[in-house]
């Protein structure tokens, strides 16, 4: 017997010193506390009767619902003293008992004392490991049994295959399955059901059906396993076909059967069919089955009928934790934040102890709605519940904070995680990329690679978006290469991301090739991505050409298609074409224009100088204009120096969004261009009082796989002396070609010479000079700028492209400019 110190703390006790039973046949008494809290039994037996009595006691313990480990220990001691431990039947019962208590070391000690165990004892030990989720030990014991040549049966293989399923060990499981098929075990309905579950988990639904069809005797468990597989793969027709086959065979459906049917309805979101199944449940008399009712709650939630889900939930005679979680999940899936937290409050007030699934659902809705305060409260609940060490929960916390923009908190939780997987890394990486910290996202990816964490498809797609944001073509190509090397399937998501990345990195030709070579013909998202790419490069006619190809392919455009088209027309000055497309939305395609469509049309008219038409259009809209529409008009007023309309528009905008710093900046610029400096000072003072700051302009350029950032007037760069020397040389050369500074771009009441100096300190000029110093002669230069390029910088860059005989590609906040030999692709319209 092992020492008491090896037992779990719950079961520590002082073992009574056993008394030696005399060899004579004289009777003796022993008191045995049976594993039944309601009664105590006293047993008297003689030595020659001890073995069958032991069997009886063990049988009673096994069947008792609340066994006391101390009773088993006392009985085990008597078994050892009376030299009965070599009896395999007794050993098997003891192994089962110890396994039920979770004291597997004691169970294994009993097992190891039998030199040549039978298949029943082997199965008992494997079953004990499996019940206690010791899956590796289950397989190790199975391998030992096979290596020793001990006899096995279908139950042995079934237990081993279940362990493989839990471990997601396809290779080992496949070998067990092949061996079982060769030995005819596939006909065993227990093994067959397990084999079906194993194959379904790894996506081998056809092989699972072959196993099912090969089984001569199928019970309800076999049917349930196969139906569950079809449900998992969303094969509704096969699920119902199998159910009818089962029904015709006279097999009575169980709660699991009906639950499979309900899940199938939830998977395809068919409310009418779901209600029919609900009626069928009532007809079967299963309206009291917790599993079935929980499945109904889950189904109605997935379909979006949360009222029906709540009615079923409220009428349940009893509820499990799974039932509560199903109702909560329904609210979360339908973004019902208030109802979710209300149910959670009811949940806790009823004394229900929540689990990780509960908290994960709530984290999800906080992330969806950017409800940071609620997320912090939930984080505290998870911590007090002891769930902070749960990898999935910790990852969900990182994801929540990242989605709420609380990147410091997300990073703090991430750094404190003892264990991290690819999902954890990706959660933080995506958060950084989506919150404008693309460079930090790329740095995190480098750290991830150093730690040997293999990226998945979602990680790489997120990196592609980060590269697109930075305009980092080299890194984008590197990620594209990783997708190819890993053999990741090029679906709509990553193909669209790549097209977007190449377009935003200035290589529209690469985006075109990718689109034409890998286009998924019936997917509108990819076509929209290509139209958008042409739009930001000012190729409006190419965008319309792609749209016409869409119509030829009979691909129905959606709302996003017309947003991309109208934006492309706006960047290209194609007023009549844009107006025609806007009218065709509802007339030819049945799409009602929304705010974004009107904003694009107002932007199109405003850029072209048709400010009165744009203002008239806003007045005729079927709804009140939002900030997006008014901002488009305000930008047009600034471009075309319409001060009166600009002030009117800014007043309306500030009544809608008084904390938008961009509105104050544009209004200040409008006043400055009109020389109204007192109004400029008033607007800037108002910004300061509201705690608002102008977004600083910066430019990025990628040199030797490293992205460098420059701010206006920046002299902190290690190359600053060389940069300013290069700019001075360029200034002399372009002035010789006739350049004169456009100081109207400096919207400050200062001396002209100071204005000129400020112009030459603009961030894109610093980035261009740095690129000229550090790249080979004749190579292209790529610059990404977060604000609109000013008129003077646009003129200067045209001159520089002619002097250095290089293509300079500049992406500003609105579009691309390709400068070649003194000309720009925008035709000076942007």
């Amino acid at each position: 017997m092992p020492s008491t110190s090896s037992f779990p703390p719950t079961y520590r006790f002082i073992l009574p010193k056993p008394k030696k039973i005399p060899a004579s046949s004289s009777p003796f008494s022993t008191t045995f506390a049976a594993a039944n809290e309601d009664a105590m039994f006293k047993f008297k037996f003689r030595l020659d009767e001890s073995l069958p009595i032991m069997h009886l006691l063990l049988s009673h313990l096994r069947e008792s619902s609340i066994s006391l480990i101390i009773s088993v220990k006392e009985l085990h001691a008597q078994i050892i003293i009376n030299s009965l431990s070599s009896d395999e039947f007794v050993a098997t019962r003891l192994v089962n008992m110890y396994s039920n208590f979770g004291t597997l070391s004691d169970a294994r000690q009993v097992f190891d004392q039998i030199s040549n165990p039978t298949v029943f004892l082997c199965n008992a030990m494997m079953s004990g490991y499996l019940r206690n989720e010791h899956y590796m030990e289950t397989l190790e014991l199975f391998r030992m049994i096979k290596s020793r040549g001990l006899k096995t049966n279908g139950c042995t293989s079934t237990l081993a295959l279940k362990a493989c399923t839990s471990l997601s060990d396809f290779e080992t499981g496949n070998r067990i399955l092949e061996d079982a098929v060769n030995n005819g075990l596939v006909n065993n309905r227990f093994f067959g059901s397990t084999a079906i579950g194993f194959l379904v988990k790894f996506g081998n639904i056809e092989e699972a059906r072959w196993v099912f069809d090969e089984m001569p005797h199928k019970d309800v468990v076999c049917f349930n396993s196969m139906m569950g597989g079809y449900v998992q793969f969303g094969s509704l027709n096969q699920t119902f076909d199998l159910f009818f086959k089962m029904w015709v065979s006279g097999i009575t459906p169980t709660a699991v059967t009906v639950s499979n049917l309900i899940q199938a309805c939830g998977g395809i979101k068919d409310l009418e069919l779901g209600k029919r199944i609900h009626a069928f449940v009532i007809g079967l008399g299963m309206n009291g089955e917790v599993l079935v009712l929980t499945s109904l709650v889950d189904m109605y939630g997935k379909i979006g009928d949360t009222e029906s889900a709540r009615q079923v939930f409220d009428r349940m005679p009893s509820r499990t934790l799974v039932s509560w979680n199903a109702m909560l999940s329904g609210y979360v899936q339908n973004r019902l934040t208030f109802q979710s937290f209300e149910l959670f409050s009811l949940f806790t007030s009823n004394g229900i102890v929540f689990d990780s699934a509960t908290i994960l659902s709530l984290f999800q809705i906080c992330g969806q709605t950017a409800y940071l305060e609620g997320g912090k409260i939930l984080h505290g609940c998870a911590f007090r519940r002891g769930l902070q060490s749960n990898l999935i929960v910790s990852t969900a916390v990182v994801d929540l904070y990242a989605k709420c923009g609380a990147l410091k908190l997300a990073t703090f939780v991430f750094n404190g995680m003892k264990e991290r997987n690819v999902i954890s890394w990706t959660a933080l990486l995506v958060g950084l990329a989506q919150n404008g910290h693309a460079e930090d996202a790329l740095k995190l990816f480098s750290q991830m690679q150093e730690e040997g964490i293999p990226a998945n498809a979602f990680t790489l797609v997120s990196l592609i978006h980060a590269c697109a944001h930075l305009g980092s073509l080299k890194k984008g190509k590197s990620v594209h290469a990783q997708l190819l090397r890993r053999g990741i399937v090029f679906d709509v998501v990553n193909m669209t991301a790549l097209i977007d990345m190449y377009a935003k990195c200035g290589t529209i030709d690469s985006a075109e090739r990718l689109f034409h070579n890998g286009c998924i013909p019936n997917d509108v998202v990819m076509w929209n991505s290509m139209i958008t790419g042409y739009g930001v490069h000012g190729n409006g006619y190419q965008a319309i050409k792609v749209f016409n190809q869409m119509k030829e392919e009979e691909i129905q455009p959606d709302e996003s298609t017309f947003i991309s088209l109208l934006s492309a027309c706006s960047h290209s000055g194609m007023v009549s074409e844009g107006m025609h497309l806007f009218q065709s939305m509802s007339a030819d395609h049945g799409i009602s224009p929304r705010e974004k469509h009107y904003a694009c049309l107002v932007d199109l008219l405003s850029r072209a100088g048709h400010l009165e038409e744009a203002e008239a259009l806003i007045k005729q809209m079927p709804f009140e204009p939002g900030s997006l529409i008014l901002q488009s008009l305000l930008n047009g007023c600034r471009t075309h120096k319409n001060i009166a309309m600009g002030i009117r528009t800014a007043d309306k905008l500030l009544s809608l969004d008084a904390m938008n710093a961009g509105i104050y900046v544009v209004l200040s610029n409008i006043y400055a261009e009109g020389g109204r400096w007192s109004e400029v000072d008033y607007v800037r003072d108002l910004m300061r009082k509201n705690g608002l700051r102008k977004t600083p302009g910066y430019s990025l350029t990628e040199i030797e796989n490293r992205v460098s950032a420059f701010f206006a007037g920046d002299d902190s760069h290690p190359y600053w002396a060389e940069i300013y020397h290069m700019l001075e040389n360029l200034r002399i050369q372009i002035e010789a070609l006739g350049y004169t500074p456009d100081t109207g771009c400096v919207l400050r009441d200062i001396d002209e010479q100071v204005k000129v100096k400020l112009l030459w300190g603009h961030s894109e000029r610093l980035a261009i000079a740095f690129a000229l110093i550090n790249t080979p002669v004749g190579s292209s230069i790529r610059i990404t700028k977060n604000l609109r390029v000013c008129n003077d910088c646009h003129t200067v860059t045209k001159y520089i492209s002619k002097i250095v005989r290089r293509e300079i590609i500049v992406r500003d906040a609105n579009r691309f400019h390709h400068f070649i030999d003194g000309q720009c692709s925008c035709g000076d319209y942007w």
Side-chain angles (χ1 to χ4, degrees):
M1 294 289 292
S3 66
T4 56
S5 62
S6 65
F7 301 137
T10 311
Y11 301 119
R12 283 183 186 166
F13 55 89
I14 303 299
L15 278 175
K17 189 175 181 181
K19 294 180 179 180
K20 181 74 174 178
I21 299 177
S24 66
S25 60
S26 61
F28 77 97
S29 299
T30 183
T31 301
F32 178 74
N36 188 325
E37 292 182 340
D38 299 327
M40 298 289 289
F41 297 91
K42 290 186 177 180
F43 297 95
K44 294 181 178 179
F45 56 90
R46 300 174 64 87
L47 181 60
D48 55 353
E49 298 170 343
S50 60
L51 191 56
I53 292 293
M54 290 294 182
H55 292 174
L56 175 64
L57 298 182
L58 287 166
S59 177
H60 176 78
L61 280 171
R62 184 192 61 173
E63 294 166 3
S64 177
S65 59
I66 309 174
S67 300
L68 299 175
I69 186 66
I70 189 170
S71 305
V72 182
K73 290 287 185 180
E74 289 177 346
L75 184 58
H76 191 181
Q78 296 294 344
I79 289 170
I80 294 171
I81 291 167
N82 288 277
S83 303
L84 301 175
S85 56
S86 60
D87 181 88
E88 270 211 50
F89 190 72
V90 172
T92 303
R93 291 289 179 85
L94 281 170
V95 166
N96 281 328
M97 286 303 306
Y98 280 128
S99 298
N100 288 340
F101 284 113
T103 55
L104 294 171
S105 59
D106 293 327
R108 185 57 187 260
Q109 188 176 36
V110 172
F111 175 81
D112 289 340
Q113 287 173 354
I114 307 297
S115 56
N116 291 301
T118 63
V119 66
F120 301 106
L121 181 56
C122 293
N123 291 348
M125 191 65 244
M126 286 180 64
S127 178
Y129 279 136
L130 195 68
R131 287 199 308 275
N132 288 276
E133 300 182 3
H134 287 231
Y135 306 121
M136 291 297 295
E137 289 86 345
T138 307
L139 288 180
E140 286 171 7
L141 183 59
F142 177 71
R143 294 187 187 100
M144 187 201 79
I145 292 167
K146 297 290 282 184
S147 66
R148 289 168 128 187
L150 297 174
K151 185 179 178 182
T152 62
N153 59 14
C155 181
T156 320
S157 298
T158 300
L159 294 167
L161 192 58
K162 283 182 177 180
C164 291
T165 305
S166 298
L167 288 169
S168 297
D169 186 348
F170 178 74
E171 189 176 335
T172 304
N174 200 41
R175 286 199 299 268
I176 293 170
L177 187 56
E178 286 177 0
D179 184 59
V181 170
N182 293 333
N183 290 305
L185 290 179
V186 74
N187 296 333
N188 182 300
R189 68 176 187 272
F190 299 111
F191 181 81
S193 296
T194 304
I196 290 167
F198 170 79
L199 290 167
V200 163
K201 178 169 184 175
F202 291 98
N204 300 319
I205 193 72
E206 293 181 2
E207 290 86 343
R209 184 57 191 258
W210 178 86
V211 171
F212 177 83
D213 291 337
E214 286 294 306
M215 296 169 66
H217 304 291
K218 305 177 184 72
D219 60 8
V220 69
V221 178
C222 300
F223 275 94
N224 288 345
S225 296
M226 195 65 240
M227 286 174 64
Y230 281 133
V231 169
Q232 182 179 324
F233 280 83
S235 303
L236 179 68
N237 291 336
Q238 289 89 333
T239 304
F240 278 91
D241 285 346
L242 210 57
F243 170 72
F244 289 127
K245 186 176 289 188
M246 169 184 158
W247 186 267
V248 170
S249 300
I251 298 173
T252 304
T254 64
V256 175
T257 315
V258 178
S259 177
N260 282 329
L261 295 177
I262 295 168
Q263 287 180 58
C265 294
I268 62 164
K269 297 179 170 47
D270 190 331
L271 181 60
E272 187 61 34
L273 183 58
K275 287 182 175 179
R276 290 180 184 177
I277 297 295
H278 191 170
F280 179 66
V281 166
I282 296 170
L284 285 174
M286 288 188 181
N287 51 327
E289 290 278 355
V290 175
L291 174 64
V292 173
L293 295 176
T294 300
S295 297
L296 283 169
V297 170
D298 180 66
M299 176 198 73
Y300 282 125
K302 285 178 178 174
I303 293 173
D305 187 357
T306 53
E307 289 185 11
S308 295
R310 188 59 187 261
Q311 286 177 5
V312 174
F313 178 80
D314 289 339
R315 292 172 185 169
M316 290 177 72
S318 62
R319 304 184 190 103
T320 63
L321 178 60
V322 178
S323 311
W324 286 89
N325 285 342
M327 188 66 245
L328 182 63
S329 179
Y331 283 142
V332 169
Q333 289 174 51
N334 290 281
R335 295 176 177 265
L336 300 173
T337 309
F338 175 78
Q339 291 87 336
S340 299
F341 277 90
E342 185 183 43
L343 185 70
F344 182 61
S345 178
L346 182 64
F347 194 113
T348 52
S349 64
N350 277 319
I352 309 294
V353 179
F354 63 85
D355 64 357
S356 58
T358 316
I359 212 76
L360 286 170
S361 288
L362 290 166
F363 279 143
Q364 182 183 344
I365 197 162
C366 288
Q368 288 172 350
T369 57
Y371 183 23
L372 180 59
E373 290 307 311
K376 287 179 178 179
I377 293 168
L378 290 172
H379 188 188
C381 290
F383 186 85
R384 289 191 294 273
R385 180 74 175 79
L387 296 172
Q388 73 276 6
S389 59
N390 184 306
L391 174 62
I392 299 173
V393 171
S394 296
T395 300
V397 175
V398 172
D399 182 61
L400 162 71
Y401 285 140
K403 284 177 178 173
C404 292
L407 295 177
K408 287 185 178 179
L409 287 173
T411 305
F412 176 78
V413 175
F414 178 81
N415 291 334
M417 292 173 66
K418 293 180 180 178
E419 182 186 359
R420 296 185 293 228
N421 60 11
V422 63
I423 301 171
S424 316
W425 286 87
T426 303
L428 183 57
L429 191 149
V430 171
L432 290 168
Q434 291 180 347
N435 284 281
H437 297 264
E439 193 166 1
D440 290 332
L442 292 174
K443 287 178 182 176
L444 185 70
F445 179 63
S446 298
Q447 184 185 342
M448 179 179 169
Q449 288 182 308
E450 288 171 7
E451 295 195 19
I453 308 295
N456 60 21
F458 192 59
T459 316
L460 296 174
V461 169
S462 301
L463 280 171
I464 292 168
H465 289 303
C467 295
H469 177 80
L470 288 172
S472 178
L473 181 61
K474 289 183 179 178
K475 284 189 172 68
K477 285 182 174 180
S478 175
V479 177
H480 187 180
Q482 286 202 47
L483 284 168
L484 292 168
R485 283 197 301 271
R486 292 175 186 273
I488 293 172
V489 176
F490 278 74
D491 58 11
V492 176
V493 175
N494 49 41
M495 285 290 286
T496 302
L498 284 168
I499 290 169
D500 179 68
M501 183 272 292
Y502 280 117
K504 286 182 177 176
C505 288
T507 55
I508 192 67
D509 292 345
S510 297
E512 279 179 337
R513 285 195 297 273
L514 197 62
F515 174 75
H516 291 301
N517 294 337
C519 183
I520 301 172
N522 294 323
D523 190 81
V524 69
V525 177
M526 283 185 59
W527 289 83
N528 291 349
S529 180
M530 196 65 243
I531 291 170
T532 302
Y534 281 128
V536 295
H537 282 268
N539 297 338
Y541 289 105
Q542 280 293 101
I544 292 176
K545 183 179 178 182
V546 171
F547 175 63
N548 291 331
Q549 289 174 355
M550 275 182 70
K551 292 191 290 185
E552 289 173 9
E553 297 282 346
E554 297 184 350
I555 296 170
Q556 183 63 34
D558 59 11
E559 291 179 1
S560 297
T561 310
F562 285 96
I563 291 171
S564 298
L565 284 167
L566 291 170
S567 179
C569 290
S570 180
H571 288 309
S572 304
M574 298 165 61
V575 177
S576 59
E577 291 85 351
M579 293 292 291
H580 173 72
L581 285 166
F582 184 83
Q583 292 164 2
S584 72
M585 280 180 63
S586 53
D588 300 333
H589 302 283
I591 299 173
S592 299
R594 297 184 180 273
E595 183 179 6
K596 284 188 176 180
H597 300 103
Y598 277 101
C600 288
L601 192 60
V602 170
D603 185 64
L604 169 68
L605 293 169
S606 300
R607 281 178 189 271
H610 304 305
L611 297 177
E612 288 75 16
E613 289 181 46
E615 193 172 39
L617 174 67
I618 291 172
K619 291 177 181 177
Q620 295 169 7
M621 287 192 320
F623 47 80
E624 286 296 314
S627 59
L628 195 64
I629 292 170
L630 293 173
Q631 277 185 323
S632 296
L633 180 60
L634 182 62
N635 290 330
C637 292
R638 179 200 166 183
T639 301
H640 297 284
K641 299 178 174 58
N642 191 324
I643 297 173
M645 188 184 291
I647 294 170
R648 286 200 309 271
T649 307
D651 284 341
K652 292 178 184 177
L653 264 171
L654 290 173
S655 67
L656 294 173
D657 190 3
M659 298 306 289
N660 186 335
I663 300 169
Y664 293 92
V665 171
V666 176
L667 180 59
S668 171
N669 291 342
I670 290 173
Y671 280 131
E673 287 172 346
R676 297 166 63 169
W677 300 110
S678 59
E679 283 91 341
V680 170
D681 292 337
Y682 172 76
V683 172
R684 290 178 178 173
D685 186 55
L686 197 59
M687 282 184 69
R688 282 190 292 271
K689 286 180 180 178
N690 288 332
L692 302 174
R693 295 181 62 188
K694 178 183 176 181
T695 302
Y698 65 82
S699 296
L700 308 172
T701 187
E702 185 180 26
I703 308 293
E704 295 181 353
N705 214 28
R706 179 182 175 84
V707 177
S708 297
F710 296 89
F711 292 85
D714 187 6
D715 61 359
S716 62
H717 197 277
Y719 280 79
W720 75 269
E722 292 93 329
I723 290 170
Y724 282 98
H725 181 68
M726 171 64 76
L727 286 175
E728 181 61 19
N729 287 336
L730 291 171
R731 185 185 65 80
I732 293 169
Q733 291 183 70
I734 67 175
E735 284 181 353
L737 294 175
Y739 159 75
T740 54
D742 180 3
T743 55
C745 297
V746 180
L747 302 174
R748 293 169 65 178
D749 189 15
I750 54 178
D751 185 74
E752 285 295 305
Q753 288 185 341
V754 179
K755 287 184 178 182
V756 172
K757 185 178 179 181
L758 288 174
L759 283 172
W760 280 94
H762 279 191
S763 64
E764 55 265 57
R765 302 192 199 192
L766 301 177
I768 291 170
F770 177 72
L772 287 170
I773 294 167
N774 291 281
T775 54
V777 174
S779 62
S780 297
I781 293 172
R782 300 175 190 278
I783 307 295
T784 300
K785 183 176 171 61
N786 69 323
L787 302 178
R788 183 180 183 272
V789 173
C790 76
N791 291 341
D792 193 65
C793 283
H794 193 268
T795 302
V796 165
T797 308
K798 287 198 293 183
Y799 276 112
I800 293 174
S801 70
K802 186 171 185 177
I803 291 168
V804 300
R805 296 183 180 180
R806 296 216 217 174
E807 180 184 16
I808 301 174
I809 303 167
V810 178
R811 187 184 98 194
D812 70 4
N814 295 326
R815 55 163 298 155
F816 273 91
H817 302 264
H818 294 257
F819 298 93
I820 303 174
D821 195 27
Q823 300 295 321
C824 181
S825 60
C826 73
D828 298 336
Y829 183 90
W830 75 100

